[in-house]
Structure formats: C-alpha cells, structure tokens
Amino acid sequence: MHKVILVDDEIYFRKGLKSLIDWNSCGFEVIGEAANGEDALAFIDGVCPDLVITDIRMPVLDGLELIKQVMKKEGKHPKFIIISGHSDFKYAQQAVRYGVHDFILKPIDQDEIEETLTSLAASISEQKLLFEKNIEIKKAVLLENLIHGKVNEQDTYDFSRELSLGNVTEYYYMILEVNGLPLNQSGTIPDNQVKDKIITVIREICDPQVGVFIQELEQGSYGLLIPSTYLHCFKMQISHFSQWIHGLLLRSVKQDVTFYIGPAVSKLHLLKNSFEAAQKAREYKYVHDDKSIIFSKEVSDQLIIYTELEDSYYHLLIEQIEESATIGIMETVDKIFLQFTSKNMARVAVHASINRCVHSILKLIKNMEGEVSQLNSFQTMLQLQNYQLTLSQLRKQFLEFVLESMENIKILRKQTSDGEAHKIKQFVDTHYRENISLKTIAAKFYMNPVYLGQLFKKTYGIYFKDYLLQVRIHEAKKLLRQSDQKIYEIAERVGFNNTDYFVTIFGKLEKITPSEYRNKILENRKVR
C-alpha cells in the first residue's frame, strides 16, 4: 500500500474524507493527518508519504507554501492532490507550476476522487519500480568502480549521501560463495534465485534506508558491501553478523556457503583494500576446508604454496587408470587431496593440479582415438575451476571423472585390441601363401610378438600358429578337391616349404593324408 497523509484545518472534513473513500481498494493507506502546513511539513519529513492531500487555505502555512517547501528539498518527493473550496484560477495555475497531480473542488465526488487515486496508485507503483531499478543500477556501478579503485573521495561522498550511507563509520567487503554445481548438473538452485535469496536474508537485518549492495563476481560467488549500520543489532561485531547471516542462508539456499571477509575501511573510496584482502583470503579455502567463514586478518600471515603437485602423483594415477586399478585409483586420489591440505596449497594451485590431471587423462583418451566429449563429466571438468566447490565436492567430482575415464579407456582398449587382432587375422587370410610368422607380422605392424600372440589368442581363442596352419590346410583341401595338382605343388601353393611337414600337419588336423583325402573325394563322386 502507498502511504497518504491528509492535511486540512477542518477536522470534520478530514474525518469525512478518511471514512468516505475505500482507500485500500484504491491502493493507499492513510497514515496520518495534519491541521496546518507547518505540522504537515514536519510529518512529511518523518514518514516520507507517497501522497499528500491538502487544502490550500490553512493557518500558519498554507497548502501552496507547503508544496513549495517540500519540492525545494532534496530527495524523493511525494505526489500532491489539492482539495479546495475555491476555484480561483491563480491557485490552479500555481498548483500546476509546482507539479501538483490534481486539483479537486469541494464538495467531493466520491467516484471522481477514487478514480483519481486508483490511477495515481498505478503511476506511483511504476515510478517506485523505476526508482528502485535506477538505485540498484547505481549501487552495482558504484560497487564495481569501488573495488577497482575508480572512484575518488569526493565522488564517494556524493554517492554516500544519495544512497543513505552518510552515517556509516566503517565498511567491509564480503565475498560469498554458494558451493555446488549449476542446476542442470546437480539440481542446485539457479544463480538468479540464489541472489534473490541472499538479498532477502540481508534485508531482514540491514538498514532499510541503505538497502543491499550486492554484485555477481563469478558463477556462484557474490560480493557484498557491509556498512557498519548493518551491525547495530550485533554489538557492532562483524563476526556476529557473519555467523547470523550464514545460518540464515544455509536454511534458505540449502547448500554449503563460504564467506571471505576483508578488513574494515573507514572511507568508502578505500573499499578496494577490503575487496582485495577478501579475494586473497579465497586462496585459503582448501587450507581451511573446515571453516565456513574466513576473515582475511586471520589468514594473512599464514604461508600457502602456489606450486603444483609432484610429477610422481600424475604418473602413478595415469598408470593405474591404464591398468584399470580401481582401488589403487581411489587410494591415489585420497593421497592427492591429502597433499592439498597438508602442504597448505593455495586454491589456484589445487585447481592447476586437478586441471593438469584432467588434461593428461583426456590426452590419453584422444591418443586412443576416443571421443572425450562423450564422457558425462567432460564439460564439468573443463569448467571445474569456475565453480565454487568445497574440497569434498571437488574430490567427488574428480574421482567420478577419473573412474569414468578408466572405464572409457578400458572399452577403447578392447576396441583397439579387437581391431588390431582383426587386422592380423585379415592379413593371414590373404597372405597365408607367403612365408609369414608371428615375428614377421609383429614387425610389420610395429607390435611386440609376445603381446601380439596373447592378443590373438584372447580375441579368437586360438594361438596364431594354429590359426595359420588351419587356414593353409583349409585352402589345401579346396585345391585337393578342385584340381589335379600334385601334393608337393599344393603344399607350396598354400605356404608350406616342406612337403613332408605339410603331410604331417594335414594328417594331424584331418586324421587322414592328403592323398587319402583326394581319393576319398573321387570315390564318393564315382558312387554318385
């Protein structure tokens, strides 16, 4: 409801006007009355009404002079409606000059004034919305310029007055991180809803005249200006305020929230110092993974390192992935994350170490001609450093990626092995007549003979040498059936350099000699 005050020296008129109109349905609430312009002026200063309905002729200070003095003041002005028993054109002319919304003559027509009020209420609502948007834009621009040191002391003084920061003695900059993946990946609340929830929580205890100064820094992280006027209910202690807000936010967003708070600065134009300290405190996130609120002054003297993990961890992890050693992988990941905390590794160093592991694994998959984009965790891992995650959340995402990659590599290896074995089999099927062996084929395909033999046996369930002999004997049988070539000629044609060896192998596999096989075929033909 919009606030309205009634100003008229006739008490019965004020009471009659108050009871005549259905104020609520028109969008207004009468919050007070005054019998003269002077009392009304003081009242307006105290309650900041949206509308003043006033008579013109009143003692002490008349209606037009009241309007004139109000319009001279800085800041937001109320709307005015004049209700008068005098239709003097000069009054109306002055009223228009002062920007009066309407001039209504007594006696009042109820329908007319209610129609005027309803229309005015809609206009005030639009103006309030526009005003609030403009204020929020000014706040956002101011905050952005402040943290980058682009506002001088004089400008901040002017902004302070405009944005109701004139009574502030200290300022803090707080960075707030809502930990978790975006909605489409983990079911967490979208960023725009999180911001609204933060604003709602802050408004519960902040100075209503000051409002909320908030900016989005990165996905899931926000910057807040905390003026000292927020701390009145907390014995002026930023720690008490932070704990209270943190508790409210946990219940509201239902996600882990981490605060980083810079030191107090006495002037608004020095806010950059508090912002930079809060940013630096973010590097201690994984060093103090057990803390939800990190004050820059408490960690500024603590040593953290910015170097990545030792190479041995990367090599071991890749080796275990290639070996499909699930238990070993889990143990190594635990050791890696233990290193992050035990060695006081900065947030950026942790992300760099994880990123190196991820790219090494992706490179391995690409080298095996795998499609990395088919990994469910591919996009998440590429953007991992852009998300706000606790150490346990980071470990969970990383381990899921590593195990998924291991399974993918296992499939790729099988596909590769099957492909390699198939190529070898095709080569044997077309070159069996030549003097080939496991060793010569392995050399041709740049493979280890032992590995090739194991791969062929694993894929087809038969040793390479036995398969080669089977192919040669099969072709020999065709020649025995379809030609009258001599036995030694057939032996040479299917790849045997020694006829006796051919006869031996034929007999071993077919339980009959080549000649007997041919004679048997011929006898069968005669019978038919």
Side-chain angles (χ1 to χ4, degrees):
M1 290 291 173
H2 303 305
K3 298 180 291 186
V4 59
I5 64 172
L6 309 178
V7 186
D8 197 296
D9 58 338
E10 296 180 15
I11 186 172
Y12 294 109
F13 176 77
R14 298 198 307 270
K15 300 302 180 187
L17 184 62
K18 189 174 181 180
S19 60
L20 173 68
I21 297 169
D22 185 354
W23 295 96
N24 286 347
S25 65
C26 294
F28 289 93
E29 175 189 7
V30 178
I31 61 168
E33 303 173 29
N36 60 69
E38 187 173 68
D39 291 345
L41 189 61
F43 200 18
I44 290 170
D45 288 341
V47 299
C48 301
D50 300 297
L51 172 64
V52 177
I53 299 179
T54 181
D55 192 6
I56 291 182
R57 292 184 178 179
M58 294 181 297
V60 188
L61 190 70
D62 68 24
L64 290 176
E65 188 61 29
L66 166 65
I67 296 169
K68 182 180 178 181
Q69 291 198 28
V70 170
M71 300 305 286
K72 280 182 179 179
K73 294 178 180 289
E74 293 183 0
K76 189 179 174 185
H77 301 135
K79 300 290 184 182
F80 284 93
I81 292 178
I82 290 178
I83 296 181
S84 177
H86 305 278
S87 58
D88 193 320
F89 178 73
K90 288 183 180 180
Y91 288 144
Q93 195 175 37
Q94 280 186 283
V96 170
R97 190 180 304 125
Y98 293 147
V100 171
H101 179 76
D102 207 347
F103 192 106
I104 299 175
L105 291 175
K106 298 177 182 178
I108 295 171
D109 181 288
Q110 181 181 354
D111 292 338
E112 177 188 358
I113 193 168
E114 286 187 351
E115 183 179 344
T116 297
L117 289 170
T118 301
S119 174
L120 181 57
S123 175
I124 291 173
S125 294
E126 287 183 13
Q127 289 180 10
K128 278 185 175 181
L129 185 60
L130 182 60
F131 178 79
E132 288 174 3
K133 284 184 178 179
N134 287 336
I135 288 294
E136 292 307 313
I137 291 171
K138 282 185 178 181
K139 285 180 178 179
V141 171
L142 173 63
L143 205 50
E144 182 69 19
N145 288 333
L146 283 171
I147 65 174
H148 293 104
K150 295 181 180 179
V151 186
N152 60 39
E153 188 169 4
Q154 181 57 49
D155 288 340
T156 56
Y157 175 76
D158 296 337
F159 278 121
S160 296
R161 295 179 62 191
E162 183 178 359
L163 300 175
S164 303
L165 294 169
N167 297 324
V168 177
T169 57
E170 286 184 330
Y171 304 89
Y172 298 86
Y173 192 91
M174 174 192 288
I175 296 175
L176 184 156
E177 290 179 353
V178 180
N179 297 298
L181 296 178
L183 177 66
N184 59 347
Q185 291 170 296
S186 67
T188 55
I189 303 172
D191 281 356
N192 60 332
Q193 291 185 28
V194 169
K195 185 178 179 181
D196 291 342
K197 287 179 178 292
I198 293 170
I199 292 172
T200 300
V201 167
I202 298 290
R203 276 184 177 156
E204 288 185 22
I205 55 175
C206 76
D207 182 346
Q209 296 299 317
V210 174
V212 181
F213 288 76
I214 186 170
Q215 63 182 155
E216 293 185 45
L217 298 175
E218 302 156 6
Q219 182 167 290
S221 70
Y222 308 86
L224 287 165
L225 170 65
I226 310 296
S228 57
T229 49
Y230 283 11
L231 310 181
H232 288 156
C233 299
F234 302 93
K235 299 180 180 179
M236 301 307 290
Q237 296 295 313
I238 185 68
S239 57
H240 296 170
F241 167 84
S242 304
Q243 289 167 3
W244 178 264
I245 291 296
H246 190 270
L248 291 178
L249 274 176
L250 282 180
R251 291 194 291 273
S252 181
V253 302
K254 295 179 174 58
Q255 291 172 248
D256 287 324
V257 183
T258 310
F259 289 175
Y260 309 89
I261 304 168
V265 293
S266 58
K267 301 290 184 181
L268 192 55
H269 72 280
L270 299 175
L271 190 68
K272 179 185 178 183
N273 298 335
S274 187
F275 163 74
E276 290 178 345
Q279 279 282 49
K280 189 173 181 181
R282 296 177 80 183
E283 291 299 324
Y284 292 80
K285 177 169 188 171
Y286 300 132
V287 175
H288 296 286
D289 188 54
D290 58 329
K291 289 186 177 181
S292 299
I293 302 173
I294 298 176
F295 291 91
S296 61
K297 63 182 179 182
E298 294 178 356
V299 297
S300 58
D301 295 331
Q302 187 175 353
L303 181 66
I304 53 176
I305 64 170
Y306 288 84
T307 53
E308 294 182 23
L309 280 172
E310 297 174 9
D311 290 347
S312 59
Y313 289 98
Y314 302 112
H315 300 325
L316 177 60
L317 188 60
I318 293 296
E319 183 180 307
Q320 290 170 333
I321 290 172
E322 290 178 326
E323 294 174 353
S324 300
T326 304
I327 301 300
I329 287 172
M330 296 175 71
E331 290 175 350
T332 299
V333 169
D334 284 341
K335 289 176 182 177
I336 287 173
F337 277 76
L338 183 61
Q339 286 288 302
F340 292 157
T341 53
S342 64
K343 291 201 170 182
N344 286 0
M345 291 180 66
R347 177 190 188 127
V348 67
V350 170
H351 285 162
S353 299
I354 293 294
N355 195 47
R356 180 177 170 187
C357 285
V358 169
H359 282 278
S360 296
I361 294 168
L362 293 178
K363 183 179 179 181
L364 177 61
I365 293 173
K366 287 179 180 178
N367 288 341
M368 297 180 71
E369 299 183 358
E371 186 56 61
V372 295
S373 61
Q374 292 181 356
L375 295 171
N376 294 328
S377 53
F378 173 66
Q379 289 297 334
T380 300
M381 297 310 296
L382 281 189
Q383 302 179 52
L384 200 62
Q385 62 189 14
N386 298 325
Y387 302 136
Q388 317 309 323
L389 301 176
T390 63
L391 198 62
S392 59
Q393 289 172 337
L394 184 61
R395 181 192 175 281
K396 178 177 179 292
Q397 294 301 321
F398 180 63
L399 182 58
E400 285 180 3
F401 166 75
V402 172
L403 293 177
E404 183 187 7
S405 298
M406 180 197 73
E407 293 299 327
N408 183 262
I409 288 168
K410 190 189 298 184
I411 293 170
L412 288 172
R413 183 181 291 113
K414 185 179 186 308
Q415 291 173 346
T416 301
S417 299
D418 290 348
E420 289 174 342
H422 181 66
K423 285 191 294 185
I424 302 305
K425 181 176 178 294
Q426 279 188 318
F427 186 84
V428 171
D429 290 344
T430 55
H431 295 81
Y432 63 88
R433 297 180 183 88
E434 302 171 13
N435 184 23
I436 58 176
S437 66
L438 186 64
K439 186 175 181 180
T440 58
I441 293 178
K444 180 177 180 60
F445 287 94
Y446 304 100
M447 299 172 69
N448 181 285
V450 176
Y451 169 72
L452 175 56
Q454 292 173 344
L455 173 62
F456 199 92
K457 175 69 166 61
K458 182 178 180 182
T459 306
Y460 295 108
I462 186 172
Y463 289 108
F464 170 83
K465 183 179 179 180
D466 292 340
Y467 179 74
L468 177 59
L469 291 174
Q470 279 188 3
V471 171
R472 285 173 170 172
I473 297 302
H474 177 74
E475 293 300 320
K477 287 167 66 179
K478 284 172 59 177
L479 291 172
L480 287 168
R481 292 194 306 270
Q482 299 172 4
S483 74
D484 58 359
Q485 293 181 56
K486 299 185 182 302
I487 300 300
Y488 76 89
E489 292 176 327
I490 291 175
E492 288 179 0
R493 284 199 61 180
V494 297
F496 286 96
N497 295 326
N498 185 300
T499 304
D500 291 339
Y501 181 58
F502 165 65
V503 172
T504 301
I505 295 300
F506 194 99
K508 182 178 180 181
L509 294 179
E510 300 299 325
K511 311 303 181 187
I512 192 172
T513 67
S515 298
E516 291 172 340
Y517 177 80
R518 173 176 275 175
N519 292 333
K520 186 177 180 181
I521 296 297
L522 292 173
E523 287 296 327
N524 288 338
R525 286 175 183 171
K526 287 180 181 178
V527 172
R528 292 176 186 174

